[in-house]
Amino acid sequence: MAEWNECPVPSGRTSLGCEGPAVCPICFWSLGQGDAVHTAAGGKARPGGEGCGPFCCSRRGACLSAFLLLLLATLAALLAVAIILGRPPRIPETQSCVTTTNRTGFLCHDRRHCIPAHGVCDGIRTCPHGEDEDEHLCRDVPRSFPSFLLAYCGDPASWIYSDQKCDGTNNCGDCSDELSPVTACPPCGPGWWRCTPTVFKYCSCIPRVLCRDHVQHCSDWSDEYVCPGP
């Protein structure tokens, strides 16, 4: 009779998953597979080895073969998710840009889209990947903002977006975002009429579209009698 070569097992250890003698903690082959090979070679099938599946192992081995299969399946799943979702965009070193209207903007991570500064943390995801609404950027406004997005008013406790400075509109409430000494803005542009406005919204100029509309917007009525209109 052919002798059976067993793996040595420490005393007191038993195998899990089959009722035959224990297998080595590092065995990858089941006892059933070993019996099949042994029987094919002319030996006698080992008693108690019938039906022993491929995941038979000792407590110490912790089903190493099953663990490896699970690990490979997990890696494959992660790879599939990465392919489907795409690689996360690389965060650029600087996120400042100039918009098409020549105002300060926020550069999206794809480095192609430049959105207005006041579009950051406004509750609307404008960048393709939504980074203009990221939690790290919006969690503690304005302290969490990069400096290029901010402009401070005459009252240091008040702030506006940087692209709202020198836009002709009284965003600070005291016109400090439009007038010196806090802000040095260029003269009124071609679309504006310079005067002392009578409305709170403007500081030193009014839009020319308001000229000759039969409503007083300048303290001297120049918007109705002097301004040539748009």
Side-chain angles (χ1 to χ4, degrees):
M1 178 184 296
E3 295 185 359
W4 186 273
N5 294 323
E6 295 185 3
C7 297
V9 179
S11 60
R13 298 296 178 89
T14 58
S15 62
L16 299 178
C18 37
E19 298 178 356
V23 297
C24 294
I26 59 172
C27 280
F28 286 85
W29 284 65
S30 70
L31 292 177
Q33 289 172 322
D35 289 341
V37 174
H38 185 66
T39 304
K44 184 179 180 181
R46 182 176 185 173
E50 298 83 355
C52 192
F55 297 108
C56 291
C57 56
S58 68
R59 287 176 182 167
R60 187 174 182 181
C63 293
L64 185 57
S65 59
F67 173 77
L68 290 177
L69 289 175
L70 179 61
L71 179 61
L72 290 176
T74 302
L75 292 176
L78 291 176
L79 180 59
V81 170
I83 293 175
I84 295 174
L85 298 182
R87 183 178 178 182
R90 183 180 63 88
I91 298 177
E93 295 179 359
T94 177
Q95 293 176 308
S96 176
C97 59
V98 178
T99 65
T100 55
T101 57
N102 201 31
R103 310 293 295 178
T104 301
F106 176 84
L107 183 64
C108 298
H109 290 176
D110 62 2
R111 305 191 70 85
R112 291 196 304 267
H113 294 81
C114 180
I115 68 172
H118 67 267
V120 177
C121 297
D122 63 349
I124 301 173
R125 294 182 179 270
T126 308
C127 288
H129 296 282
E131 56 270 22
D132 55 306
E133 301 296 323
D134 278 353
E135 182 181 356
H136 78 278
L137 188 64
C138 306
R139 68 176 179 270
D140 189 20
V141 175
R143 284 183 286 270
S144 56
F145 273 178
S147 59
F148 70 85
L149 289 176
L150 289 172
Y152 287 94
C153 301
D155 178 5
S158 300
W159 64 276
I160 60 174
Y161 286 96
S162 55
D163 63 341
Q164 295 175 326
K165 182 175 67 174
C166 297
D167 65 350
T169 305
N170 182 15
N171 295 293
C172 282
D174 59 1
C175 282
S176 58
D177 56 311
E178 300 295 322
L179 303 175
S180 60
V182 177
T183 307
C185 296
C188 300
W192 296 79
W193 176 255
R194 187 173 186 82
C195 70
T196 301
T198 59
V199 291
F200 176 80
K201 184 177 180 179
Y202 304 108
C203 297
S204 61
C205 308
I206 64 169
R208 283 182 177 266
V209 295
L210 299 179
C211 292
R212 299 185 181 272
D213 64 350
H214 307 293
V215 178
Q216 182 187 11
H217 298 287
C218 295
S219 60
D220 59 1
W221 285 90
S222 62
D223 58 310
E224 295 301 313
Y225 297 105
V226 182
C227 176

